């Protein structure tokens, strides 16, 4: 099976880990501090804080902003559940707004209608490697005095008008194995806010600034130096690997240009880092994914059941009407996308997707024709 993702880890990471192990200093230490410094420079912010994963990165930001019970955070349902979960874990309520049909990102034009007196923050998700419309989001946030928390877990290095993801508000990144850079598990927080950075550093470390002096109630959200040195090597490879992802995306774009499918779009002024290459293949999506997988192509679905339709969210009474999200959940698939994808593997993916789409061609039209056919028999209903 050609995998959808494959971490680019090898001898350099192994050598770095061996060095840390030999040093005897394996928990959070100076290599973690070095990783944080390098990431802050890369993103273009004052502070980066390394933590155990992307979920706790988000929890720490929301908690550090003082967001809690009674507060609302505006976000999307078309995302990994961790976005909403991190809001829920603070005691606050996620309020879901719909996405744009072409970018799959938060539809910023819908945000203001969702603002209430309880709204404290907007949390755009830079899904699949593309930054949301930060011009509009920042303008709305400023107008209403709201914080901006960027879920940049899938957007390492992506830019909007020359600025990197995670530099607009407070940013959360995941370093999970399948992400554009990885430490196995891991997370990074970015911010220009000195107070928030200091608070999160304490929160990450049981509230301790100095040993056994607990200034506040904290957690253990620390990263290890073993992870940090992997992260340093990964950061050194990030731009090269992003360029490779972009080249793979360009080849997919060209190969599918004549197909009746929706391809990823990159609005002007943004760079896409293609954490995923997502295609709208229409209503036959599930059959197409099954056929691709049967033919050795590890296509996958992000995300088959939107967060607002998950039972644990509905049990909390968090109902939302999100037709564009629902539509994306039934029609889109993601193709293998990682820097190690070979040209031959990509040729197989292209051949198999073209063949699968051809086998199901017209199924959309078929439904429309069927609907028109019944309307033709009942012209009075067709007129409505
Ligand atoms: C959009 C999004 N948000 C949050 C997370 C949570 O990150 P982690 O899995 O590192 O906790 C992920 C990644 O898994 C993600 O893709």
């Amino acid at each position: 099976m050609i995998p959808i993702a494959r971490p680019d880890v090898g001898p350099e990471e192994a050598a770095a880990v061996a060095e840390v192990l030999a040093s005897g200093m394996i928990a959070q230490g100076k290599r973690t501090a070095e990783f944080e410094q390098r990431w802050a420079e890369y993103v273009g912010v004052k502070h980066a804080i390394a933590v155990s994963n992307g979920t706790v990165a988000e929890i720490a930001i929301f908690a550090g902003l003082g967001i809690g019970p009674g507060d609302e955070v505006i976000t999307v349902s078309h995302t990994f559940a961790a976005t909403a979960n991190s809001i829920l874990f603070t005691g606050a309520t996620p309020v879901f707004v719909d996405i744009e049909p072409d970018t799959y990102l938060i539809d910023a034009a819908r945000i203001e209608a969702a603002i209430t007196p309880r709204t404290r923050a907007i949390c755009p998700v830079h899904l699949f490697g593309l930054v949301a419309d930060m011009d509009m989001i920042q303008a709305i946030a400023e107008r209403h005095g709201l914080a901006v928390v960027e879920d940049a877990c899938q957007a390492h290095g992506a830019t909007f008008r020359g600025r990197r993801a995670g530099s607009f508000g407070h940013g959360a990144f995941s370093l999970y194995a399948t992400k554009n850079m990885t430490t196995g598990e891991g997370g990074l927080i970015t911010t220009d806010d000195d107070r928030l950075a200091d608070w999160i550093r304490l929160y990450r470390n049981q509230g301790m600034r100095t040993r056994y002096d607990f200034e506040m109630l904290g957690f253990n959200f620390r990263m290890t130096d073993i992870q940090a040195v992997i992260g340093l090597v990964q950061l050194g490879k990030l731009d090269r690997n992003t360029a490779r992802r972009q080249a793979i995306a360009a080849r997919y774009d060209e190969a599918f240009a004549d197909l009746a499918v929706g391809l990823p779009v990159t609005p002007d002024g943004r760079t896409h880092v293609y954490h995923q290459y997502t295609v709208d293949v229409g209503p036959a999506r599930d059959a197409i994914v099954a056929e691709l997988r049967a033919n050795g192509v590890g296509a996958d679905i992000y995300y088959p059941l939107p967060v607002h339709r998950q039972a644990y969210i509905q049990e909390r009474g968090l109902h939302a009407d999100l037709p564009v999200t629902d539509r994306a959940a039934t029609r889109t698939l993601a193709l293998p996308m990682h820097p190690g994808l070979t040209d031959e593997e990509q040729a197989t993916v292209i051949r198999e997707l073209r063949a699968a789409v051809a086998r199901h061609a017209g199924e959309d039209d078929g439904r429309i024709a069927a609907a028109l056919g019944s309307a033709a028999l009942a012209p009075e209903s067709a007129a409505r």
Side-chain angles (χ1 to χ4, degrees), residues 243-316:
R244 176 67 188 137
R245 285 175 183 272
Q246 290 165 338
I248 292 168
R251 185 169 171 212
Y252 278 146
D253 285 349
E254 202 184 323
F256 303 138
D258 62 324
L259 294 187
V261 297
L263 299 178
V265 301
T266 307
D268 284 349
R270 302 184 216 187
T271 56
H272 202 315
V273 297
Y274 295 101
H275 173 60
Q276 301 289 357
Y277 187 93
T278 301
V279 185
D280 179 339
V281 293
R285 191 274 313 273
D286 289 349
I288 291 173
V289 169
E291 288 167 27
L292 287 171
R293 296 183 74 83
N295 291 319
V297 173
D300 218 333
I301 300 169
Y302 302 95
Y303 295 92
L305 187 66
V307 177
H308 75 289
R309 294 200 175 276
Q310 302 287 340
Y312 76 99
I313 294 288
Q314 300 216 325
E315 280 161 15
R316 287 169 167 76

Side-chain angles (χ1 to χ4, degrees), residues 53-55 58 79-80 82-83 125 151 153-154 174 179 186 303:
N53 56 63
T55 309
E58 294 186 344
T79 180
F80 186 56
T83 315
V125 180
D151 181 332
C153 286
Q154 302 186 2
S174 169
K179 297 297 193 271
Y303 295 92

Side-chain angles (χ1 to χ4, degrees), residues 207-282:
M208 285 189 288
R209 193 181 303 278
T210 53
R211 201 155 175 249
Y212 302 140
D213 178 12
F214 301 94
E215 286 185 25
M216 57 183 255
L217 176 65
F219 262 108
N220 174 1
F221 284 167
R222 294 184 302 262
M223 176 179 273
T224 65
D225 272 14
I226 302 170
Q227 293 164 290
V229 291
I230 298 174
L232 282 162
V233 176
Q234 290 276 301
L235 176 52
K237 296 177 175 178
L238 181 61
D239 286 346
R240 191 173 69 229
N241 281 343
T242 299
R244 176 67 188 137
R245 285 175 183 272
Q246 290 165 338
I248 292 168
R251 185 169 171 212
Y252 278 146
D253 285 349
E254 202 184 323
F256 303 138
D258 62 324
L259 294 187
V261 297
L263 299 178
V265 301
T266 307
D268 284 349
R270 302 184 216 187
T271 56
H272 202 315
V273 297
Y274 295 101
H275 173 60
Q276 301 289 357
Y277 187 93
T278 301
V279 185
D280 179 339
V281 293

